C-alpha cells in the first residue's frame, strides 16, 4: 500500500512520553494521530494495548492504521491482529493476519512491513487483492 507526499511527511517520531516509561510498560486504548505540515490530520494509529519493549520498539494488539484525505474523509485503513513499531526506523511489522481497505481495493495477507516515511508497504502472502473499478465521470 502506498501513501502520498503528505503521508511521507508524517514519519512517526519517537513518542516523547515513551521515554519516561520503563521497559515493559503497558498502555491501553492508545491513539497516535499523525499530522501534515499544515497540521491537518492525515492518519491515526490505534491499538487496544501497547507494550514498551524498549526505547525504540513498541508492540501492539488489535492495531488499526487509518488514512485520511485532505478533506478529512476516510482514505484507507489497515487492520492488524498485532504489530511491532520500530520507532527509529519508522517501520511497522507483523506476521499476523492483515486486512487493507480503501475505495479502490481490499487486500488481505499473512503479514505486513510498512514504512511510514516512504508511505509504502509489503503485504506477505498468501495474499488476496480485489481491485475495484474507478467510477467513470460523465
Amino acid at each position: 500500500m502506498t501513501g502520498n507526499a503528505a503521508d511521507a511527511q508524517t514519519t512517526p517520531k519517537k513518542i516523547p512520553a515513551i521515554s519516561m516509561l520503563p521497559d515493559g510498560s503497558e498502555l491501553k486504548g492508545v491513539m497516535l494521530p499523525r499530522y501534515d505540515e499544515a497540521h491537518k490530520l492525515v492518519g491515526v494509529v490505534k491499538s487496544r494495548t501497547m507494550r514498551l519493549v524498549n526505547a525504540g520498539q513498541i508492540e501492539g494488539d488489535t492495531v488499526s492504521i487509518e488514512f485520511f484525505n485532505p478533506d478529512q474523509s476516510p482514505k484507507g485503513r489497515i487492520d492488524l491482529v498485532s504489530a511491532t513499531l520500530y520507532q527509529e526506523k519508522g517501520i511497522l511489522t507483523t506476521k499476523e493476519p492483515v486486512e487493507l481497505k480503501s475505495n479502490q481495493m481490499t487486500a488481505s495477507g499473512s503479514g505486513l512491513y510498512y514504512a511510514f516515511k516512504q508511505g509504502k508497504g509489503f503485504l506477505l502472502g498468501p495474499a488476496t487483492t480485489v481491485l475495484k473499478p474507478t467510477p467513470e465521470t460523465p
Side-chain angles (χ1 to χ4, degrees), residues 28-45:
K28 296 182 186 236
V30 178
M31 184 172 82
L32 304 171
R34 296 182 301 124
Y35 300 94
D36 65 12
E37 290 178 347
H39 306 289
K40 286 194 170 202
L41 184 67
V42 294
V44 63
V45 177

Side-chain angles (χ1 to χ4, degrees), residues 5-6 10 33 37 39 49 85 104 115 124 126 135 137:
T10 60
E37 290 178 347
H39 306 289
T49 60
L85 173 63
Q104 295 87 24
L124 301 177
T137 355

Side-chain angles (χ1 to χ4, degrees), residues 1 30 59 66 71 109:
M1 173 176 237
V30 178
E59 293 179 346
E66 298 175 39
D71 68 357

Side-chain angles (χ1 to χ4, degrees), residues 46-108:
K46 295 179 182 177
S47 181
R48 184 174 54 88
T49 60
M50 278 191 175
R51 284 172 304 289
L52 174 63
V53 176
N54 57 48
Q57 184 178 342
I58 302 169
E59 293 179 346
D61 293 319
T62 314
V63 177
S64 67
I65 305 170
E66 298 175 39
F67 303 94
F68 299 99
N69 290 308
D71 68 357
Q72 303 300 290
S73 63
K75 179 178 182 179
R77 178 183 176 101
I78 303 172
D79 291 308
L80 311 148
V81 173
S82 66
T84 301
L85 173 63
Y86 297 93
Q87 292 190 90
E88 293 186 11
K89 295 178 182 178
I91 295 178
L92 181 132
T93 67
T94 186
K95 291 190 178 176
E96 298 284 336
V98 177
E99 288 187 24
L100 294 90
K101 298 174 189 169
S102 76
N103 292 337
Q104 295 87 24
M105 68 171 224
T106 59
S108 61

